[in-house]
Amino acid sequence: MKAAILIESLTGNTWKAGELIAANLQQENWSITGISSMKDPNHASIQDADTVIVGTWVHGLFVVGQAPWAIDRLRHLPAMAGKQAVAFCTYALNPGKSLDVMTRELETRGAEVVGGLALQRGHLAEHAEEFAIRLVDSVPAR
Ligand SMILES: Cc1cc2nc3c(=O)[nH]c(=O)nc-3n(C[C@H](O)[C@H](O)[C@H](O)COP(=O)(O)O)c2cc1C
């Protein structure tokens, strides 16, 4: 399988999570067509991929009002008809419904959303591994 990874990161956690997810997927023989920022997405990497992984961070008042940052950028990603998509977010205390919001936007872009996971910023390595395992398990081998 071929995955493109698109990331929005302010202080580096989400970018690091994306790199960890990429490394875990490569260990499962997936290829990564590119890791790029949502601000300046690598369109060729999206076109080449079967699966588009989109990650951002959670902002809000920590216990209320949580939402995925950069939802507008998600809205401006290219159309993804025929592709699978998976969302992830990194957070400190509580991700709220951030994944649901991301899922809706990805569906609007035409993708088939096959899952999502919130990664706690203090446990990025374990949670990135879990994300990759779930993703590999959810996709039938080709
Ligand atoms: C302005 C601001 C608001 C935040 N609000 C929340 C929040 O409501 N809930 C939460 O769990 N984490 C919150 N966080 C923590 C970030 O989501 C977390 O540190 C994330 O991993 C940052 O990702 P990044 O390093 O890729 O920017 C907030 C961080 C900032 C800077």
Side-chain angles (χ1 to χ4, degrees):
M1 296 293 287
K2 293 190 285 183
I5 303 182
L6 302 173
I7 294 173
E8 176 71 29
S9 181
L10 181 68
T11 62
N13 295 333
T14 315
W15 195 272
K16 184 175 170 199
E19 289 179 337
L20 289 166
I21 287 168
N24 279 288
L25 289 173
Q26 281 168 327
Q27 279 181 14
E28 299 292 331
N29 296 321
W30 281 42
S31 53
I32 304 301
T33 58
I35 303 181
S36 60
S37 86
M38 271 204 249
K39 194 164 44 177
D40 185 17
N42 178 337
H43 289 248
S45 77
I46 298 171
Q47 211 165 14
D48 286 353
D50 331 281
T51 304
V52 181
I53 299 170
V54 177
T56 187
W57 57 281
V58 171
H59 77 106
L61 300 173
F62 285 87
V63 283
V64 291
Q66 303 93 339
W69 188 253
I71 198 70
D72 283 350
R73 289 193 178 140
L74 234 157
R75 279 183 195 130
H76 288 101
L77 290 177
M80 296 184 205
K83 298 190 188 296
Q84 299 182 137
V86 199
F88 76 89
C89 60
T90 69
Y91 70 99
L93 289 179
N94 183 344
K97 296 194 186 312
S98 298
L99 286 177
D100 294 343
V101 175
M102 294 176 78
T103 296
R104 271 200 301 279
E105 286 306 327
L106 288 168
E107 285 173 347
T108 304
R109 307 305 308 131
E112 180 201 354
V113 181
V114 293
L117 190 68
L119 284 63
Q120 207 278 332
R121 70 181 181 190
H123 298 274
L124 290 182
E126 305 99 283
H127 291 178
E129 191 179 350
E130 179 67 31
F131 179 96
I133 290 169
R134 287 195 200 182
L135 177 54
V136 169
D137 285 351
S138 75
V139 174
R142 290 194 178 170

Coordinates of all heavy atoms in Angstrom, one line a residue, residues 13 58-64 66 89-96 118-123 127:
N13 N 4.9 18.3 17.6 CA 4.4 17.0 18.0 C 3.7 16.2 16.9 O 3.9 15.0 16.7 CB 3.4 17.1 19.1 CG 4.0 17.6 20.4 OD1 5.2 17.5 20.7 ND2 3.2 18.3 21.2
V58 N -4.9 19.5 18.4 CA -6.2 20.0 18.9 C -6.0 21.3 19.6 O -5.0 21.5 20.4 CB -6.7 18.9 20.0 CG1 -7.9 19.4 20.8 CG2 -7.0 17.6 19.3
H59 N -6.9 22.3 19.4 CA -6.9 23.5 20.1 C -8.2 23.7 20.7 O -9.3 23.2 20.3 CB -6.5 24.7 19.2 CG -7.6 25.2 18.3 ND1 -8.3 26.3 18.6 CD2 -8.2 24.6 17.3 CE1 -9.3 26.5 17.6 NE2 -9.2 25.4 16.8
G60 N -8.2 24.5 21.8 CA -9.5 24.8 22.5 C -9.2 25.3 23.9 O -8.1 25.9 24.1
L61 N -10.0 25.0 24.8 CA -9.8 25.5 26.2 C -9.5 24.3 27.0 O -9.8 24.2 28.2 CB -11.0 26.2 26.7 CG -11.4 27.5 25.9 CD1 -12.7 28.1 26.4 CD2 -10.3 28.5 26.0
F62 N -8.8 23.3 26.4 CA -8.4 22.1 27.0 C -9.5 21.1 27.5 O -9.4 19.9 27.3 CB -7.3 22.3 28.2 CG -6.0 22.8 27.6 CD1 -5.8 24.1 27.2 CD2 -5.1 21.8 27.2 CE1 -4.6 24.5 26.6 CE2 -3.9 22.2 26.6 CZ -3.6 23.5 26.3
V63 N -10.5 21.6 28.2 CA -11.6 20.7 28.5 C -12.9 21.0 27.8 O -13.8 20.2 27.7 CB -11.9 20.8 30.1 CG1 -10.8 20.0 30.8 CG2 -12.0 22.2 30.6
V64 N -13.0 22.2 27.2 CA -14.2 22.5 26.3 C -13.7 23.1 25.0 O -12.6 23.7 25.0 CB -15.2 23.4 27.0 CG1 -15.9 22.7 28.2 CG2 -14.5 24.7 27.4
Q66 N -12.8 21.9 22.2 CA -11.7 21.4 21.4 C -12.1 21.2 19.9 O -13.2 20.8 19.6 CB -11.3 20.0 21.9 CG -10.9 19.9 23.4 CD -12.1 19.6 24.3 OE1 -13.2 19.8 23.9 NE2 -11.8 19.2 25.5
C89 N -5.0 13.1 15.3 CA -4.7 14.4 15.9 C -3.8 14.1 17.1 O -3.9 13.0 17.7 CB -6.0 15.1 16.3 SG -7.0 14.3 17.5
T90 N -3.0 15.1 17.5 CA -2.3 15.0 18.8 C -2.9 16.0 19.7 O -3.4 17.1 19.3 CB -0.8 15.3 18.6 OG1 -0.6 16.7 18.3 CG2 -0.2 14.4 17.5
Y91 N -2.9 15.7 21.0 CA -3.6 16.5 22.0 C -2.8 16.4 23.3 O -2.0 15.5 23.5 CB -5.0 16.1 22.2 CG -5.2 14.7 22.8 CD1 -5.5 14.6 24.2 CD2 -5.0 13.5 22.1 CE1 -5.6 13.4 24.8 CE2 -5.1 12.3 22.7 CZ -5.4 12.2 24.0 OH -5.5 11.0 24.7
A92 N -3.2 17.3 24.3 CA -2.6 17.2 25.6 C -3.5 16.5 26.6 O -3.1 15.6 27.3 CB -2.3 18.6 26.1
L93 N -4.8 17.0 26.7 CA -5.7 16.5 27.8 C -6.9 15.8 27.2 O -7.3 14.8 27.8 CB -6.2 17.7 28.6 CG -5.2 18.4 29.6 CD1 -5.9 19.5 30.3 CD2 -4.6 17.4 30.6
N94 N -7.5 16.3 26.2 CA -8.8 15.8 25.7 C -9.0 16.2 24.3 O -9.0 17.4 24.0 CB -9.9 16.4 26.6 CG -11.2 15.8 26.3 OD1 -11.4 15.2 25.2 ND2 -12.2 16.0 27.2
P95 N -9.1 15.3 23.4 CA -9.2 15.7 21.9 C -10.7 16.1 21.6 O -10.9 16.6 20.4 CB -8.8 14.4 21.2 CG -9.1 13.3 22.1 CD -8.9 13.9 23.5
G96 N -11.6 15.9 22.5 CA -13.0 16.3 22.2 C -13.5 15.5 20.9 O -13.1 14.3 20.8
A118 N -6.7 9.5 18.1 CA -6.1 10.7 18.8 C -4.9 10.2 19.5 O -4.9 9.2 20.2 CB -7.2 11.2 19.8
L119 N -3.8 10.9 19.3 CA -2.5 10.5 19.9 C -2.2 11.5 21.1 O -2.0 12.7 20.8 CB -1.4 10.5 18.9 CG -1.3 9.4 17.9 CD1 -2.5 9.3 16.9 CD2 0.0 9.6 17.0
Q120 N -2.0 11.0 22.3 CA -1.7 11.8 23.4 C -0.2 12.3 23.2 O 0.6 11.4 22.9 CB -1.9 11.1 24.7 CG -2.2 12.0 25.9 CD -1.0 12.6 26.5 OE1 0.1 12.0 26.5 NE2 -1.1 13.8 27.1
R121 N 0.1 13.6 23.4 CA 1.4 14.1 23.0 C 2.6 13.5 23.9 O 3.7 13.5 23.4 CB 1.5 15.6 23.1 CG 1.4 16.2 24.5 CD 1.4 17.7 24.5 NE 1.3 18.2 25.8 CZ 1.1 19.5 26.1 NH1 0.9 20.4 25.1 NH2 1.0 19.9 27.3
G122 N 2.2 12.9 25.1 CA 3.3 12.3 25.9 C 3.5 10.9 25.5 O 4.4 10.2 26.1
H123 N 2.7 10.3 24.6 CA 2.9 8.9 24.3 C 2.9 8.7 22.8 O 2.3 7.8 22.2 CB 1.7 8.1 24.9 CG 1.6 8.1 26.3 ND1 2.3 7.3 27.2 CD2 1.0 9.0 27.2 CE1 2.1 7.6 28.4 NE2 1.3 8.6 28.5
H127 N 1.4 5.5 20.6 CA 0.2 5.7 19.9 C 0.4 5.7 18.4 O -0.5 5.3 17.7 CB -0.4 7.0 20.4 CG -0.9 6.9 21.8 ND1 -1.5 8.0 22.5 CD2 -1.0 5.9 22.7 CE1 -1.8 7.6 23.7 NE2 -1.5 6.4 23.9

